[in-house]
Amino acid sequence: MSVAKVVKTDNEPLDFNAGISIVEMLGRANYIALVGGGKQPKFPQNKVIIWDDAKQKAVITLEFRTQVHRVRLSRSRIVVALQNSIHMYAFSSPPEKLSVFETADNLNGLCCLGTKIVAFPGNAPGRVQLVEIDTGNVSIIPAHGSPLRAMELSPDGQVLATASETGTLIRIFATSNCARIAELRRGVDQATIYSVGISPDNTLLAVTSDKSTLHIFDLPHPLRDDYNNSPQIGTASSIHSVGSIDEAPNQKWGLLGKIPLLPRFFSDIYSFTSARFETVDDPSIGGVGAPYIPIPGVPGGKAAKGIIGWLNEYTIMVIGAGRDGRWERFIVGTADDGKRHCIRNGWKRYLGS
């Protein structure tokens, strides 16, 4: 994704008249992290620019030997993801480098920054490193057998959700002890996960993929009563979000889920609702049939699709970039029959001609 304008929360755009590939805001504060990208980048792709919107100028510049793939900001930290390392700084002027961690290949720039922990890929495919910000203590989670594709930290920092390149399962971990507390099944066919997002109240999880489907799950949480007494993952009574198998509303296969030794997908938790979203492919430069020219500075060379953002506990935005860039708004609600559903109630092209 490469844009020339950054639209802030006050709807006043910053027009750089050149390519920007990464934008990260510090909440609703006046600091914005920027990285150049596209055919005509505004800034080098190996530099992070911290822009002070109140002063209308760059106040911090961090330079690296290789391309920057992601930036995360908090009031105390700047975290930068490169292809094979994570760099952590104190948010000060000048910034103080605190630590560097090696990672497996991380072209998607996976990194989550909470108030107490930072999560990012480990030094082997499929592993996650959790780092306590105050102490520097590191925990390793063997999350998947294949490379990581997506991860998301809950707003309260208690839950970490991960997905691999296989794209069939989203695994849920408690950050307090790194225990795996649930597996959420997107489907049985392999897919490319686009995005994972957790609602502001830590109760729902949304996931998008190249199947053009938005799935909504109940999010297991270690601090809620209905999970505190659940057994280890993989046992019969740990596969759902309420007390017993008979009560599991999202166990798709019913009685089959109770039979021992059957494949695990019979007893996995499935989404309680889903909806379609648009994933229009960008046309190749030169017309139909012409070879696709990758976008410089973008992982995979293609514009991002299906990026999830929760506006509140029941409203989801799904955003896609590219020539047909658009946002779609979905509402999670309950029908008259008591069943929950997800419907699209708005959309708009914001980059298309």
Side-chain angles (χ1 to χ4, degrees):
M1 180 176 179
S2 177
V3 297
K5 293 184 179 181
V6 177
V7 180
K8 303 172 294 178
T9 54
D10 59 6
N11 293 322
E12 291 294 330
L14 295 173
D15 192 348
F16 291 103
N17 196 31
I20 301 293
S21 64
I22 296 173
V23 179
E24 177 80 1
M25 291 185 65
L26 176 56
R28 292 180 175 271
N30 53 298
Y31 293 110
I32 305 172
L34 303 170
V35 179
K39 295 180 181 179
Q40 298 178 322
K42 173 65 176 178
F43 309 108
Q45 295 173 6
N46 67 328
K47 287 186 177 182
V48 174
I49 306 298
I50 306 297
W51 181 270
D52 187 335
D53 190 54
K55 298 179 179 179
Q56 288 290 295
K57 68 176 184 179
V59 292
I60 295 175
T61 299
L62 299 173
E63 184 173 357
F64 303 89
R65 295 181 179 179
T66 59
Q67 179 182 335
V68 175
H69 292 285
R70 184 68 61 88
V71 183
R72 297 295 197 189
L73 298 179
S74 72
R75 294 189 179 276
S76 63
R77 295 291 185 269
I78 303 171
V79 180
V80 180
L82 309 183
Q83 180 173 343
N84 293 110
S85 60
I86 295 288
H87 298 248
M88 191 181 305
Y89 295 82
F91 201 142
S92 57
S93 184
E96 176 189 359
K97 179 176 281 191
L98 301 176
S99 51
V100 178
F101 301 90
E102 293 184 0
T103 70
D105 281 348
N106 186 20
L107 290 174
N108 292 308
L110 301 182
C111 180
C112 301
L113 175 59
T115 57
K116 296 182 179 180
I117 62 172
V118 184
F120 48 85
N123 55 14
R127 293 186 177 182
V128 175
Q129 294 186 69
L130 286 181
V131 179
E132 295 180 11
I133 292 176
D134 291 338
T135 65
N137 291 340
V138 179
S139 300
I140 304 296
I141 300 176
H144 299 272
S146 54
L148 297 169
R149 172 68 189 185
M151 67 170 58
E152 179 75 358
L153 188 66
S154 62
D156 65 1
Q158 295 293 327
V159 171
L160 179 71
T162 66
S164 74
E165 290 184 353
T166 304
T168 55
L169 292 172
I170 296 90
R171 289 185 170 145
I172 309 300
F173 300 90
T175 58
S176 59
N177 58 9
C178 299
R180 189 172 73 193
I181 58 177
E183 288 185 342
L184 312 180
R185 181 165 290 277
R186 181 212 56 81
V188 295
D189 296 328
Q190 186 166 340
T192 299
I193 299 297
Y194 285 155
S195 183
V196 175
I198 296 175
S199 62
D201 62 354
N202 310 288
T203 62
L204 300 178
L205 179 143
V207 59
T208 56
S209 72
D210 62 353
K211 301 294 186 181
S212 298
T213 306
L214 166 68
H215 290 275
I216 312 296
F217 298 84
D218 288 311
L219 179 67
H221 196 288
L223 298 185
R224 287 203 293 271
D225 291 339
D226 47 359
Y227 297 100
N228 284 342
N229 299 319
S230 62
Q232 293 289 323
I233 185 73
T235 61
S237 58
S238 68
I239 58 177
H240 47 74
S241 61
V242 289
S244 68
I245 287 178
D246 295 330
E247 298 170 346
N250 305 323
Q251 187 183 339
K252 183 176 181 180
W253 299 99
L255 291 174
L256 290 176
K258 303 179 185 180
I259 301 175
L261 303 181
L262 283 182
R264 192 166 60 195
F265 69 79
F266 283 110
S267 59
D268 283 334
I269 304 171
Y270 285 75
S271 59
F272 64 79
T273 189
S274 62
R276 303 285 292 178
F277 69 95
E278 295 292 335
T279 55
V280 179
D281 290 331
D282 293 325
S284 298
I285 298 175
V288 177
Y292 183 83
I293 300 177
I295 303 172
V298 175
K302 294 185 177 181
K305 305 290 183 182
I307 304 302
I308 294 170
W310 286 85
L311 294 184
N312 52 44
E313 288 76 7
Y314 53 85
T315 307
I316 304 169
M317 301 293 288
V318 177
I319 302 170
R323 297 184 181 182
D324 190 52
R326 66 177 68 194
W327 58 257
E328 298 174 78
R329 184 174 59 237
F330 296 86
I331 304 296
V332 180
T334 303
D336 293 338
D337 59 4
K339 293 183 179 181
R340 290 176 292 174
H341 56 78
C342 181
I343 59 172
R344 189 176 79 160
N345 82 331
W347 70 278
K348 183 179 181 180
R349 287 192 179 95
Y350 63 92
L351 290 179
S353 57

